[in-house]
Amino acid sequence: MRLSIFLKIWNSSTDLFQILAESPMGNSTDEYSQNQQDSIKQPVKASIPVDSTRYPVKFEEKTLVDINTADTNLLKKIPNIGSYRAREIVSYRQRLGGYTEVNQVMEACEMPDEVLEWFSLVPLPVKTLNVNSLSVRQLMRHPYLSFYQAREIVEYRKEHGPIKQIEELATLDKFSSSDIERLRPYLIFQ
């Protein structure tokens, strides 16, 4: 009786009425007790749903993931990469302006060397820094430039004018040849 009043008051659909009628509230206490006993007699095979966003299904071996386009959900499917590492890989890619080598992914955070076999790299244009127009603060946002290197670039520009090529950075004290090589794809001189 209570359900029929509910149905009239709320203008509910008959589907909702049917669901409510089958619920413990709609059944009499005797019917409810009988339903409980029936469910106890027969074992229920309940499958525990797996939250694939929280516990993603991992890739099988020989699966390659492009590190320049993969999002965090895709990265979490790689063995040994969880939420933290996936976020760090994507964040580092954004700060770099894009990966130019697979090994750069190891700079994002501490990871076992085995993860490298899961990565591939489709070369995409990287986001570049115009060395002649950016401030110290803007330059040092790049992971490969320290405050001291950025400051030295800006001071060199003030003293000698615009930098024309990356080799000019080799004349500066704060830049080693390895610094220059890893910066090469990310710097432009306009």
Side-chain angles (χ1 to χ4, degrees), residues 67 84 91 94 117 133 144 146 148 177:
I67 57 174
Y84 171 76
S91 173
Q94 291 169 344
E117 67 189 43
S133 65
Y144 289 169
S146 70
Y148 300 106
S177 58

Side-chain angles (χ1 to χ4, degrees), residues 2-19:
R2 288 183 285 173
L3 294 174
S4 61
I5 293 171
F6 177 77
L7 186 62
K8 289 177 186 175
I9 293 173
W10 291 99
N11 237 351
S12 300
S13 69
T14 54
D15 293 336
L16 179 60
F17 178 75
Q18 184 64 32
I19 291 168

Side-chain angles (χ1 to χ4, degrees), residues 105-175:
V105 77
M106 299 302 281
E107 299 168 6
C109 64
E110 191 174 315
M111 290 183 275
D113 292 337
E114 299 86 55
V115 299
L116 284 178
E117 67 189 43
W118 296 90
F119 294 121
S120 68
L121 179 72
V122 175
L124 295 174
V126 295
K127 183 179 174 189
T128 55
L129 303 171
N130 186 350
V131 173
N132 291 312
S133 65
L134 298 175
S135 68
V136 172
R137 183 173 294 221
Q138 292 168 321
L139 286 169
M140 63 183 259
R141 286 185 188 147
H142 196 276
Y144 289 169
L145 285 170
S146 70
F147 165 76
Y148 300 106
Q149 290 171 325
R151 184 176 69 184
E152 198 167 35
I153 288 172
V154 171
E155 287 174 2
Y156 182 87
R157 282 190 334 225
K158 286 178 185 176
E159 203 172 302
H160 301 285
I163 300 172
K164 294 175 183 62
Q165 57 186 356
I166 197 164
E167 284 72 22
E168 288 182 57
L169 296 179
T171 63
L172 303 176
D173 293 336
K174 303 291 183 198
F175 288 90

Side-chain angles (χ1 to χ4, degrees), residues 91-111:
S91 173
Y92 193 70
R93 177 180 68 207
Q94 291 169 344
R95 286 183 292 154
L96 267 178
Y99 292 110
T100 59
E101 296 177 16
V102 173
N103 290 341
Q104 288 177 298
V105 77
M106 299 302 281
E107 299 168 6
C109 64
E110 191 174 315
M111 290 183 275

Side-chain angles (χ1 to χ4, degrees), residues 38-52:
D38 290 344
S39 66
I40 291 171
K41 290 177 188 173
Q42 298 176 357
V44 178
K45 294 181 181 178
S47 64
I48 300 171
V50 176
D51 182 3
S52 63

